[in-house]
Amino acid sequence: MFLKGFTLLGLALATYGRGFSVRRQSQSLEDCPGYAASNVQDDGSKITADLTLAGAACNVYGEDISNLKLEVVYQTESRLHVKIYDADEQVYQVPEDVFPRPVSKDIDPSDSALEITWVEKPFSFAIRRRDSNETLFDTSAASFIFESQYLRLRTSLPEAPHLYGLGEHTDPFHLNTTNYTRTQWNRDAYGTPEGRNLYGHHAIYFDHRGANGTNGVFLLNSNGMDIKIDDTDGQFLEYNTLGGIVDLYFFAGPTPKEVSAQYAEVAGFSAMQPYWGLGFHQCKYGYRDVFHVAEVVANYSVANIPLETMWTDIDYMYLRKVFTLDPERFQLPLVRQLVDHLHAHQQHYVVMVDPAVSTRDNDAYSKGVEANIFHQYENGSLFQGVVWPGPTVFPDWFHPDTQKYWDDQFLRFFDAETGVDIDALWIDMNEAANFCPFPCADPDGFADEAGNPPDPPPVRNNSARPAIPGFPQNFQPTIPTRRSLTRRQYETGKAIGLPGRDLLNPKYTIGNLAGSISNLTVRTDIINYGGSAQYDTHNLYGSMMSVASRNALLARRPGRRPLVITRSTFAGAGAHVGKWLGDNLSQWDHYRISIAQMLEFAALYQVPMVGADVCGFGGNTTETLCARWSMLGAFYPFFRNHAQNDAVFQEFYQWPTVAEAARNTIAIRYRLLDYIYTHFHRQSTTGVPLLNPLYFLYPEDSNTFTIDLQFFWGDDILVSPVTEENSTAVSIYLPNDTFYDFYTHEKVEGTGSYVNLTDVPFTKIPLHVRGGSIIALRAESANTTTELRKQDFVLWIAPNATGHASGSLYLDEGDAIEQPETSEIQFTYDNGSFKMTGSFGYPTDNVIADITILGQPQAPKVSLLQEAIPLTEEWSRDLDVKC
Ligand SMILES: *[C@@H]1O[C@H](CO)[C@@H](O)[C@H](O)[C@H]1NC(C)=O
Ligand SMILES: *[C@@H]1O[C@H](CO)[C@@H](O)[C@H](O)[C@H]1NC(C)=O
Ligand SMILES: *[C@@H]1O[C@H](CO)[C@@H](O)[C@H](O)[C@H]1NC(C)=O
Ligand SMILES: *[C@@H]1O[C@H](CO)[C@@H](O)[C@H](O)[C@H]1NC(C)=O
Ligand SMILES: *[C@@H]1O[C@H](CO)[C@@H](O)[C@H](O)[C@H]1NC(C)=O
Ligand SMILES: *[C@@H]1O[C@H](CO)[C@@H](O)[C@H](O)[C@H]1NC(C)=O
Ligand SMILES: *[C@@H]1O[C@H](CO)[C@@H](O)[C@H](O)[C@H]1NC(C)=O
Ligand SMILES: *[C@@H]1O[C@H](CO)[C@@H](O)[C@H](O)[C@H]1NC(C)=O
Ligand SMILES: *[C@@H]1O[C@H](CO)[C@@H](O)[C@H](O)[C@H]1NC(C)=O
Ligand SMILES: *[C@@H]1O[C@H](CO)[C@@H](O)[C@H](O)[C@H]1NC(C)=O
């Protein structure tokens, strides 16, 4: 195997290495001359200059590009754009139709919170705050290098900075600033190891400076890169990319929430989710047939644990091929009965779709070949890898006909009348993942050797199967039928290459855990339709599939909000889809780090619909881990239990403690569902995040800067899970503020220190309500979100130290993209005086049935309301309370 691989690699180098000039002895980066600026044009909002190589080329990792252009635009009061690109405009830039650029207001620089200054030779620039002159970014720390296959830009930073972001990673929320490298190259990352490149690429960081404010820096560049943060030679952050251009957006903040909102203007406002999507989801790889799936649905019902949505992994596919059903285990009439059953009980169904299409006997393959939309070599032969079904080809999302191909597959396979009537979609393996190691010269041979497609589990003797509660007697298999398909000949496609680069083995090596950048993915020398190369666009693959898949769902059900959950993302993905955090493990450290990951996606990257696999994906979970995780998961925006095929079953009903923990906490989540839905709406319209790391709300309290085991759900519910195995205690930080115990409503004065909670049972998660808030809860939980929406509301008023509180409630129909009738209600409370104002366009019979002021003596409980408050008009009253 080794010898074979070795020979093939040698052959590949011989083949693909041809055509590159032999360069002179490589020099060191210290010899790089930098650039000199000239021809500076300053027209106020926009500054341009020419940058010329300031000495002999160093050509360390490619050829130095002699002539560059600088373009600076004061885009808004809080956003500055700096772009440095080659004068010939040949170097790859992230395409506008993949990442639409924000509208610039082209403001007068004196109206900007930021200011740029520069030094002409060697060229460097600095970004400062205009009001304080504080330097936020300064590239004079090392010479700027712009080569054909390497770009280096370093900024100096204050000592021991507080940096966050640069995902996707499983490192601490507060980034290490010593000898730390973040490699960005999307990868199928089973086990989500720390310190490594994972599935997504989000090159934004937040630089938090306490009372001096927070600023954000986003590099719009999809090339593979290492971002290095170190304090040798002064504290710095340095971008080292394999190509692309310098395309930087600076955000002034000055609060962390404002940086989030300012980034959302560039990345796109997040897609609003359907209300039902916030319910509880159950999944597992390895449900052997449709009966097994039905049993899980029935068992949840019997256990009285609300199940909103049932999911099926690749098990449903015939030999793991996308857009097929296993004719024995997942017979279409039975799958349709299962989905009908779910829909009749106000529940939903989701399945997985992968991008890779099997080359073996398959309609999706022949249709794609016919449309000529698969990735191909320059000679027109298809690029093949190996994924679950064995040898596969990969859709080229740049091809103008790929969307129609994808839509057609969805319309046929997911037809509501004749197919699998899914309600939402799960997309996976879209980094893109390929099991066949580079150079993968014999995908068929590799697949057969590796056992792809893997043998499905043997068909069960269904006659011995007991009836499933809630399912009809005729829920029985019929004789399977198999389709037979013919292969079509491939047509010659066109291929346009970018000149002169080694697209397989760039001299600069990024820290990709898979080694070569072409390994275990689509080869980087594959040219996309339109002429760009996978070398440059690899990191866009998952996001482009996300957009195409969202569009395909919209083609199926026009006008309804698509819920799409993806694994691979690029900056901006949240405007289209949600994200699950990939193949984690059933371990306590994975439980803990999921909090930081969730905060990063929701609060920093603008992907608010995010969650980790609850109870863990790989390996066997335990009763106590799953109990704790079921409760933490109830505070993930996306709440799904999922496990690997060979892991023990971990549905919440498997253990009494877990069942009780899940029942308790799902009830809390559901009662608060409109509260978090209101925050979802706010994020999708303003970018202000629905989750808050503690420092977002207490930016001047340095104790909060490193906290990543507690968070605010919305602005006002502090979630403090127990984080150690077997423990029933947790030490939690309470900022200097007023809080109320969620369960007892007792006032707890925070003092800016840690408090030990003890005797926290395995069925309870510590929660506190922040003083100053008014929270609208449903009066009761329900078995589904449809039932939940029929419940009345109650208000909890949590006064702050001066007796004030405020809150809001957004109401709409919950599923359509266009919402002509909405309510945006504000509640305020001021020492006894309560007001409800706002707009009341959403018609509802639900009322505010009761109001509770937290921190009041509990018994005897006297209702503060004589009568219920309709949610249809303004209302105010002095509430009869003794404070
Ligand atoms: C910022 O610098 C300018 C000149 O560079 C100076 O006039 C101004 O007073 C400074 N502002 C502060 C707050 O230091
Ligand atoms: C940061 O990285 C350095 C060097 O790798 C290591 O010694 C240190 O322990 C890390 N610090 C944290 C907080 O992880
Ligand atoms: C920096 O980190 C690398 C990889 O983690 C390690 O091999 C090296 O020893 C570290 N260097 C220092 C100075 O800590
Ligand atoms: C805040 O700014 C002041 C003055 O510019 C500086 O002395 C101080 O170090 C800064 N603090 C932080 C945390 O960056
Ligand atoms: C939930 O309750 C409603 C009303 O009783 C019922 O119609 C529906 O079938 C139930 N759904 C589930 C999943 O239990
Ligand atoms: C590709 O990945 C496999 C599995 O991790 C590894 O064994 C192999 O060395 C890698 N090959 C290259 C060319 O990086
Ligand atoms: C998980 O449990 C199953 C069943 O007890 C066992 O066969 C398997 O080896 C376990 N897996 C691990 C990783 O421990
Ligand atoms: C937790 O308890 C289990 C069962 O008693 C035990 O096997 C395990 O070692 C304990 N873990 C720790 C970290 O103490
Ligand atoms: C807590 O906050 C109050 C009111 O903002 C302030 O007066 C007090 O000094 C703060 N205490 C601490 C320890 O920071
Ligand atoms: C909380 O518990 C930790 C660990 O048991 C202990 O070190 C700390 O002193 C305790 N803090 C308080 C305020 O009791």
Side-chain angles (χ1 to χ4, degrees):
M1 199 55 196
F2 172 75
L3 196 62
K4 185 174 155 202
F6 185 78
T7 314
L8 290 172
L9 184 60
L11 183 69
L13 287 177
T15 310
Y16 295 97
R18 242 184 285 134
F20 292 97
S21 54
V22 179
R23 299 194 184 89
R24 63 195 157 96
Q25 189 70 35
S26 62
Q27 301 185 332
S28 99
L29 293 175
E30 268 96 84
D31 302 327
C32 294
Y35 288 81
S38 61
N39 187 26
V40 178
Q41 310 278 325
D42 186 345
D43 83 350
S45 63
K46 186 169 177 180
I47 301 159
T48 58
D50 296 336
L51 303 180
T52 317
L53 200 61
C58 58
N59 296 339
V60 178
Y61 298 119
E63 280 154 33
D64 291 34
I65 295 180
S66 307
N67 296 304
L68 306 177
K69 286 197 178 294
L70 167 73
E71 184 184 292
V72 177
V73 180
Y74 285 91
Q75 293 197 327
T76 72
E77 287 74 6
S78 53
R79 183 174 83 231
L80 182 67
H81 183 218
V82 176
K83 185 169 160 180
I84 302 174
Y85 56 100
D86 58 312
D88 293 342
E89 294 191 54
Q90 283 191 315
V91 172
Y92 165 80
Q93 302 186 20
V94 177
E96 287 259 358
D97 53 0
V98 179
F99 191 96
R101 303 305 194 268
V103 175
S104 172
K105 285 163 61 185
D106 289 357
I107 61 153
D108 192 291
S110 61
D111 293 332
S112 170
L114 300 174
E115 183 177 30
I116 187 168
T117 57
W118 62 90
V119 174
E120 291 194 351
K121 191 176 173 187
F123 172 75
S124 72
F125 69 92
I127 308 288
R128 303 190 302 182
R129 283 194 190 282
R130 193 176 289 276
D131 59 358
S132 64
N133 289 341
E134 183 173 1
T135 300
L136 305 179
F137 197 89
D138 178 357
T139 72
S140 63
S143 67
F144 169 49
I145 303 173
F146 197 130
E147 296 185 338
S148 52
Q149 297 198 252
Y150 177 68
L151 203 113
R152 182 185 77 178
L153 185 74
R154 177 184 288 198
T155 175
S156 36
L157 289 170
E159 303 257 296
H162 307 292
L163 304 177
Y164 310 83
L166 304 176
E168 180 177 359
H169 60 77
T170 47
D171 302 340
F173 184 57
H174 182 265
L175 296 177
N176 198 337
T177 53
T178 309
N179 191 26
Y180 181 59
T181 300
R182 287 284 322 118
T183 297
Q184 306 287 86
W185 188 249
N186 295 352
R187 186 176 69 83
D188 178 2
Y190 181 83
T192 62
E194 204 176 330
R196 296 306 194 150
N197 53 316
L198 306 182
Y199 312 99
H201 176 35
H202 297 267
I204 174 159
Y205 69 85
F206 282 46
D207 175 355
H208 180 57
R209 302 188 183 184
N212 291 3
T214 311
N215 68 92
V217 180
F218 170 52
L219 176 65
L220 175 55
N221 180 307
S222 63
N223 282 85
M225 64 181 74
D226 286 340
I227 303 172
K228 297 182 175 175
I229 309 177
D230 207 350
D231 59 0
T232 54
D233 206 12
Q235 181 69 55
F236 66 82
L237 180 148
E238 183 182 273
Y239 301 101
N240 298 264
T241 83
L242 292 178
I245 64 159
V246 175
D247 200 346
L248 285 164
Y249 291 87
F250 295 93
F251 307 107
T255 67
K257 285 186 181 196
E258 284 168 318
V259 175
S260 296
Q262 290 154 10
Y263 176 59
E265 289 178 2
V266 172
F269 293 109
S270 51
M272 188 59 190
Q273 301 298 315
Y275 187 94
W276 67 263
L278 308 182
F280 166 65
H281 304 261
Q282 175 65 47
C283 187
K284 189 182 193 290
Y285 175 26
Y287 290 141
R288 54 190 299 154
D289 53 28
V290 64
F291 303 108
H292 197 168
V293 178
E295 279 163 20
V296 173
V297 173
N299 285 337
Y300 266 102
S301 179
V302 169
N304 199 22
I305 302 169
L307 172 68
E308 183 76 16
T309 304
M310 191 65 209
W311 293 48
T312 302
D313 204 313
I314 58 174
D315 306 300
Y316 75 89
M317 298 175 192
Y318 178 47
L319 301 175
R320 312 302 194 225
K321 298 173 189 180
V322 290
F323 307 116
T324 69
L325 278 179
D326 186 309
E328 292 175 351
R329 294 165 195 81
F330 286 84
Q331 295 183 3
L332 179 61
L334 294 174
V335 172
R336 286 190 54 80
Q337 275 192 61
L338 168 74
V339 177
D340 286 348
H341 173 96
L342 289 166
H343 290 171
H345 293 81
Q346 310 164 343
Q347 292 166 300
H348 301 88
Y349 189 56
V350 174
V351 299
M352 170 183 277
V353 170
D354 293 333
V357 172
S358 168
T359 60
R360 291 177 177 171
D361 186 26
N362 175 10
D363 189 48
Y365 176 69
S366 46
K367 288 287 191 321
V369 167
E370 211 174 307
N372 197 20
I373 54 82
F374 293 126
H375 274 305
Q376 53 199 249
Y377 293 100
E378 291 197 43
N379 70 5
S381 65
L382 293 187
F383 168 74
Q384 287 193 25
V386 176
V387 193
W388 297 111
T392 54
V393 288
F394 297 81
D396 174 359
W397 305 110
F398 283 96
H399 195 294
D401 297 338
T402 305
Q403 182 69 61
K404 179 170 188 311
Y405 164 75
W406 206 239
D407 288 352
D408 287 347
Q409 294 303 316
F410 274 61
L411 289 170
R412 176 183 60 77
F413 187 69
F414 296 122
D415 187 289
E417 308 304 324
T418 58
V420 181
D421 187 15
I422 52 168
D423 299 288
L425 180 70
W426 178 24
I427 54 177
D428 188 19
M429 307 298 281
N430 53 355
E431 291 71 30
N434 171 8
F435 298 149
C436 185
F438 178 78
C440 190
D442 177 17
D444 276 279
F446 177 83
D448 293 339
E449 208 171 311
N452 294 90
D455 287 335
V459 177
R460 239 186 333 189
N461 177 2
N462 281 304
S463 58
R465 183 178 57 76
I468 303 171
F471 283 82
Q473 286 304 313
N474 68 355
F475 194 62
Q476 292 292 340
T478 54
I479 308 300
T481 53
R482 283 164 195 270
R483 278 181 288 174
S484 91
L485 301 164
T486 45
R487 272 167 97 136
R488 301 240 181 154
Q489 283 303 303
Y490 185 67
E491 294 158 25
T492 306
K494 69 170 186 170
I496 304 158
L498 291 174
R501 291 184 297 163
D502 182 343
L503 299 176
L504 290 173
N505 297 293
K507 282 194 185 170
Y508 182 78
T509 314
I510 57 170
N512 178 21
L513 186 57
S516 153
I517 54 172
S518 282
N519 200 20
L520 307 179
T521 187
V522 175
R523 286 172 70 118
T524 47
D525 61 345
I526 292 290
I527 304 300
N528 308 315
Y529 183 95
S532 61
Q534 279 294 308
Y535 177 91
D536 297 309
T537 63
H538 165 88
N539 281 338
L540 303 177
Y541 197 89
S543 264
M544 293 183 75
M545 181 195 184
S546 296
V547 172
S549 301
R550 176 184 168 86
N551 290 340
L553 284 194
L554 279 170
R556 263 187 91 235
R557 298 201 319 196
R560 292 170 74 179
R561 293 176 189 153
L563 167 58
V564 181
I565 299 294
T566 183
R567 189 168 76 181
S568 182
T569 53
F570 181 73
H576 312 279
V577 295
K579 145 95 185 164
W580 103 100
L581 294 164
D583 296 341
N584 65 357
L585 303 177
S586 297
Q587 294 176 185
W588 284 87
D589 54 341
H590 284 238
Y591 161 87
R592 284 187 289 268
I593 202 64
S594 72
I595 301 171
Q597 289 186 277
M598 161 182 78
L599 290 175
E600 284 150 15
F601 274 91
L604 310 183
Y605 314 148
Q606 293 293 328
V607 187
M609 187 64 169
V610 60
D613 281 347
V614 170
C615 300
F617 176 74
N620 290 334
T621 198
T622 64
E623 180 170 7
T624 51
L625 175 59
C626 197
R628 291 280 183 228
W629 214 328
S630 72
M631 297 187 288
L632 171 59
F635 294 92
Y636 292 160
F638 171 58
F639 179 24
R640 185 187 68 164
N641 179 333
H642 181 42
Q644 198 170 356
N645 55 345
D646 55 4
V648 294
F649 290 106
Q650 64 183 36
E651 296 77 19
F652 291 153
Y653 53 74
Q654 297 285 352
W655 306 266
T657 312
V658 180
E660 191 187 333
R663 269 191 297 266
N664 290 349
T665 321
I666 291 173
I668 294 171
R669 177 186 176 93
Y670 280 19
R671 290 192 63 198
L672 288 168
L673 214 64
D674 296 83
Y675 161 84
I676 204 68
Y677 187 74
T678 298
H679 283 84
F680 255 111
H681 172 70
R682 182 182 72 180
Q683 183 158 5
S684 74
T685 51
T686 67
V688 174
L690 84 170
L691 300 181
N692 290 282
L694 267 61
Y695 87 85
F696 268 45
L697 299 185
Y698 300 94
E700 297 189 23
D701 177 353
S702 58
N703 293 326
T704 63
F705 297 175
T706 57
I707 292 178
D708 60 8
L709 295 175
Q710 290 173 268
F711 60 98
F712 282 92
W713 203 57
D715 286 347
D716 300 309
I717 308 274
L718 176 62
V719 183
S720 311
V722 173
T723 55
E724 296 296 328
E725 181 170 6
N726 298 342
S727 175
T728 54
V730 59
S731 183
I732 70 165
Y733 184 73
L734 286 180
N736 178 18
D737 206 340
T738 302
F739 292 91
Y740 298 86
D741 184 293
F742 184 91
Y743 300 93
T744 65
H745 295 183
E746 270 170 280
K747 188 188 272 192
V748 183
E749 288 293 355
T751 57
S753 60
Y754 281 85
V755 176
N756 286 344
L757 305 182
T758 53
D759 302 320
V760 185
F762 285 100
T763 52
K764 185 175 170 182
I765 183 166
L767 301 171
H768 292 84
V769 181
R770 199 159 79 109
S773 63
I774 299 181
I775 305 211
L777 301 90
R778 295 282 178 175
E780 302 285 341
S781 182
N783 63 347
T784 62
T785 60
T786 306
E787 288 302 306
L788 185 66
R789 289 177 66 86
K790 299 176 184 164
Q791 302 294 321
D792 286 333
F793 288 91
V794 296
L795 294 185
W796 287 8
I797 298 179
N800 66 9
T802 57
H804 292 266
S806 62
S808 60
L809 176 64
Y810 170 77
L811 298 172
D812 69 13
E813 163 274 347
D815 195 53
I817 292 178
E818 297 298 332
Q819 293 285 344
E821 298 175 319
T822 64
S823 293
E824 296 195 51
I825 303 171
Q826 280 83 46
F827 307 109
T828 54
Y829 176 82
D830 176 11
N831 292 298
S833 159
F834 171 82
K835 264 207 202 80
M836 178 168 90
T837 56
S839 66
F840 298 86
Y842 178 67
T844 176
D845 296 333
N846 298 148
V847 296
I848 295 174
D850 200 0
I851 295 182
T852 303
I853 312 236
L854 306 190
Q856 299 290 306
Q858 285 303 291
K861 170 91 175 74
V862 181
S863 180
L864 291 170
L865 292 181
Q866 315 303 319
E867 66 216 55
I869 311 172
L871 284 166
T872 49
E873 59 188 4
E874 300 199 345
W875 194 91
S876 62
R877 197 70 45 99
D878 282 339
L879 302 175
D880 182 23
V881 284
K882 294 163 212 74
C883 276

